[in-house]
């Protein structure tokens, strides 16, 4: 129509747009800092890992859910001093909305539960496998994204829910060849902290902040812990008692200190008794120092650790009975865990348990003459319709090249489409492992 088209700006009705020999700046072909590509070999391992996550979740009767990677920033703004907040990958979008790449999945799950309200049958048993993000100064050279497997139970106040979740994780470990001599769970309850703080009349509002400080107990000097506790208003006496209690490693000792009347002890006793019944007692141990680094946990907390102590926590979780109400939803009991895709791979490498995953195809189909490319395509389609995997050679190649490719992709059979055979309604089939070669009628090819 001669108007100012997509080229824009030009005036002459029919003049072609100016040719600009635009020099394309050589782009960096690496993925953004802190992120990973998944080329085929890595993708096969990732798919294997996620398949095991999903299989275990399915075995336990959980339903898969997912949410946007991008969420309102408000979902993650908590004022307890968490690292996850400091490293939030957040920005303002073109609509001037404050948004964030999710650093974890639980708040999104809580949002969806509230959104669904009473339209979903409780208790909910949902799982997700999703990419989570953090914006960390690259000084530490750590990754900015990882995939997390989450399982959550919403609507069950009893510790049977936490016991069920740990049972699923144990099932996963066993499924990939990891035993209780390789990993264990440190288990505690935030009600331990709560009962100590209450005995010193510390306001409940400080609970989340104190937990976040205590979670750093093995990461920063003890004097810094005491100083941070003091800064949020915890007396030195209360801080001393807290740190004493956190060093307890047995339920009997804990009961001596706290007394037997509190919920912390009864929850933990019930959990350890259920673990016995589930059959994973030798996987778990009480450790009062476990508090986890998320402010919203309110009860049982646990983390999976490698017994050699070489790796960071493999997974972690716990009860978060107040999270939904902080989003304006009804108070609903909830518990769940997160299981990252990085440490587990390091552990499997350490234990020599990485699976051997090569590309596998059943057939490679090749036309021996370029005029038979169509015939080869019809053979490929016929096999594929029977559910057979086929790598179809798409251009005229020397046989040496075809054999080399067949070996590289671990093809089981080489199907050669040659003129004389084709004219007789036949193709040549070579079993690559044995070298046995036969002519097969097309009608009988399967
Ligand atoms: N929360 C979070 C997100 C991303 C990575 Br990597 N690690 C932790």
């Amino acid at each position: 129509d001669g108007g100012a088209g997509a080229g824009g700006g030009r005036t002459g009705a029919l003049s072609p747009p100016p040719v600009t020999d635009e020099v394309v700046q050589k782009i960096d072909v690496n993925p953004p800092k802190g992120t990973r590509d998944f080329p085929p070999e890595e993708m096969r391992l990732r798919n294997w890992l996620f398949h095991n996550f999903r299989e275990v979740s399915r075995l336990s009767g959980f339903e898969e859910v997912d949410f946007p990677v991008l969420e309102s920033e408000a979902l993650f703004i908590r004022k307890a001093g968490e690292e996850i907040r400091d490293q939030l990958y957040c920005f303002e979008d073109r609509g001037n909305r404050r948004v964030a790449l999710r650093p974890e999945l639980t708040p999104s799950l809580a949002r969806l539960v509230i959104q669904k309200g009473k339209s979903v049958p409780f208790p909910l048993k949902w799982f997700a496998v999703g990419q989570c993000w953090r914006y960390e100064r690259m000084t530490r050279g750590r990754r900015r994204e990882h995939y997390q497997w989450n399982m959550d139970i919403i609507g069950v106040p009893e510790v049977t829910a936490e016991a069920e979740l740990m049972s699923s994780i144990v099932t996963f470990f066993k499924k990939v060849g990891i035993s209780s001599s390789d990993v264990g769970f440190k288990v505690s309850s935030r009600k331990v902290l709560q009962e100590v703080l209450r005995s010193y009349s510390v306001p409940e509002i400080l609970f989340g902040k104190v937990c976040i400080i205590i979670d750093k107990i093995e990461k920063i000097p003890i004097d810094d812990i005491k100083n941070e506790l003091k800064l949020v208003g915890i007396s030195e006496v209360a801080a001393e008692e807290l740190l004493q209690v956190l060093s307890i490693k047995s339920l009997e000792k804990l009961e001596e200190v706290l007394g037997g009347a509190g919920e912390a002890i009864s929850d933990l006793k019930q959990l350890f008794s259920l673990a016995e019944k589930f059959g994973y007692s030798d996987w778990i141990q009480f450790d009062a120092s476990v508090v986890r680094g998320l402010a919203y946990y309110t009860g049982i907390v646990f983390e999976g650790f490698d017994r050699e102590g070489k790796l960071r926590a493999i997974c972690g979780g716990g009860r978060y009975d107040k999270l939904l109400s902080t989003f304006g939803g009804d108070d609903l009991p909830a518990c769940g865990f997160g299981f990252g895709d990085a440490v587990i791979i390091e552990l499997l490498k350490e234990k020599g348990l990485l699976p051997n995953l090569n590309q596998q195809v059943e057939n490679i189909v090749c036309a021996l003459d370029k005029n038979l490319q169509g015939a080869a395509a019809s053979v490929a389609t016929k096999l594929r319709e029977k559910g057979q995997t086929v790598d179809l050679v798409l251009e005229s190649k020397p046989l040496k090249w075809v054999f080399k490719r067949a070996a590289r992709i671990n093809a089981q059979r080489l199907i050669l489409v040659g003129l004389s055979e084709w004219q007789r309604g036949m193709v040549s089939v070579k079993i690559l492992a044995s070298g046995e070669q036969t002519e097969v009628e097309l009608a009988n090819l399967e």
Side-chain angles (χ1 to χ4, degrees):
D1 62 356
R10 56 177 186 272
T11 50
L14 296 176
S15 59
V19 176
T20 55
D21 50 353
E22 190 184 324
V23 177
V24 176
Q25 192 65 30
K26 180 159 175 29
I27 59 159
D28 177 357
V29 292
N30 293 302
K33 275 186 184 313
T35 69
R36 298 166 290 174
D37 292 318
F38 287 89
E41 187 174 352
E42 285 76 3
M43 196 64 199
R44 283 195 287 270
L45 179 58
R46 175 176 136 184
N47 284 336
W48 170 85
L49 181 65
F50 292 10
H51 171 73
N52 281 291
F53 287 159
R54 290 193 166 93
E55 263 308 287
V56 168
S57 305
R58 192 184 61 79
L59 266 177
S60 305
F62 281 60
E63 297 175 279
E64 186 161 11
V65 294
D66 195 9
F67 329 95
V69 174
L70 185 75
E71 285 277 12
S72 163
E73 182 188 54
L75 224 53
F76 311 109
I77 299 294
R78 301 188 291 261
K79 297 188 173 36
E82 297 156 285
E83 183 181 70
I84 207 166
R85 165 82 185 82
D86 302 339
Q87 297 178 340
L88 196 58
Y89 210 133
C90 53
F91 55 96
E92 190 161 303
D93 72 8
R94 291 171 184 264
N96 302 108
R97 295 176 201 85
R98 292 296 307 167
V99 290
L101 296 181
R102 66 190 178 198
E104 53 166 328
L105 300 176
T106 306
S108 302
L109 180 133
R111 176 180 60 71
L112 184 59
V113 171
I114 296 168
Q115 179 200 128
K116 288 299 179 189
K118 300 200 181 347
S119 71
V120 285
F122 285 87
L124 301 179
K125 296 180 182 179
W126 289 355
F127 81 93
V129 181
Q131 192 173 38
C132 296
W133 293 81
R134 67 182 172 195
Y135 189 85
E136 183 171 74
R137 302 264 165 263
M138 284 316 283
T139 44
R140 290 170 63 175
R142 293 200 300 173
R143 285 215 315 286
R144 285 187 175 152
E145 55 77 24
H146 73 173
Y147 285 81
Q148 261 196 32
W149 169 40
N150 278 221
M151 292 179 82
D152 291 84
I153 299 175
I154 313 291
V156 176
E158 291 82 22
V159 296
T160 40
E162 291 94 320
E164 171 79 318
L165 291 174
M166 281 197 274
S167 172
S168 295
I169 303 175
V170 168
T171 302
F172 168 81
F173 281 135
K174 288 177 173 175
K175 198 167 165 22
V176 298
I178 288 169
S179 73
S180 58
S181 54
D182 300 314
V183 306
F185 291 95
K186 292 175 185 170
V187 181
S188 185
S189 170
R190 284 204 172 166
K191 291 178 183 175
V192 173
L193 275 181
Q194 198 175 39
E195 288 174 24
V196 173
L197 292 173
R198 275 183 184 155
S199 69
Y200 287 89
S201 313
V202 171
E204 289 290 327
I205 191 144
L206 291 179
F207 181 64
K209 279 189 176 154
V210 170
C211 290
I212 299 311
I213 294 168
I214 295 294
D215 180 59
K216 296 185 277 191
I217 208 157
E218 287 168 8
K219 298 160 196 162
I220 63 174
I222 195 69
D223 288 344
D224 293 356
I225 297 278
K226 290 177 178 173
N227 192 38
E228 288 194 29
L229 288 172
K230 191 173 175 185
L231 285 175
V232 298
I234 305 296
S235 70
E236 285 188 26
V237 175
E240 277 307 325
E241 160 110 17
L242 261 186
L243 296 171
Q244 276 303 317
V245 169
L246 290 166
S247 65
I248 296 174
K249 307 283 184 211
S250 84
L251 277 186
E252 295 70 28
K253 180 83 175 81
L254 184 73
E255 189 163 9
E256 280 171 30
V257 171
L258 290 187
E263 287 183 16
I265 279 291
S266 59
D267 286 353
L268 286 160
K269 279 182 170 178
Q270 190 187 358
L271 184 67
F272 276 78
S273 164
L274 284 164
E276 184 77 38
K277 301 291 185 289
F278 270 107
Y280 61 79
S281 283
D282 51 350
W283 291 73
I284 66 170
Q285 64 198 56
F286 171 72
D287 184 330
S289 67
V290 174
V291 284
R292 298 299 296 162
L294 294 169
Y296 50 66
Y297 287 131
T298 54
I300 294 285
V301 285
F302 55 86
E303 68 187 31
F305 70 99
D306 80 291
R307 293 193 188 277
E308 289 191 29
K310 290 182 182 170
L311 306 172
R312 305 181 307 285
I314 303 162
C315 56
R319 179 161 289 278
Y320 53 95
D321 284 349
K322 295 208 171 49
L323 182 63
L324 278 83
S325 54
T326 60
F327 289 162
D330 297 336
D331 226 351
L332 266 173
C335 61
F337 69 80
F339 192 125
D341 70 336
V343 179
I344 182 62
I345 294 297
E346 290 172 51
L347 179 69
L348 290 168
K349 275 181 191 148
E350 284 277 323
K351 303 293 178 186
L353 289 169
L354 279 183
N356 182 17
L357 305 164
N358 297 314
Q359 183 184 10
Q360 301 280 344
V361 287
E362 287 152 309
N363 306 279
I364 179 166
V365 174
C366 174
L368 288 178
D369 175 306
K370 65 178 183 309
N371 297 324
L372 288 169
Q373 191 59 52
S378 67
V379 172
T381 301
K382 181 179 174 59
L383 286 169
R384 286 166 178 164
E385 283 168 351
K386 290 174 184 291
Q388 293 242 346
T389 52
V390 176
D391 178 86
L392 175 61
V393 177
L394 300 171
E395 47 194 342
S396 171
K397 288 287 184 185
L399 260 184
K400 190 164 179 258
W401 181 94
V402 177
F403 275 98
K404 196 169 175 190
R405 178 169 174 83
R408 200 167 52 73
I409 64 175
N410 297 309
Q412 293 166 19
R413 293 192 310 183
L414 170 58
I415 315 282
L416 294 171
V417 181
L419 186 57
S420 64
E421 295 90 343
W422 188 251
Q423 285 168 340
R424 290 181 284 111
M426 310 286 268
V427 289
S428 170
V429 177
K430 188 181 186 66
I431 307 299
L432 292 165
S434 64
E436 180 197 351
Q437 186 154 346
T438 56
E439 282 195 359
V440 174
E441 268 192 63
L442 197 55
N444 298 334
L445 184 61
E446 55 189 16

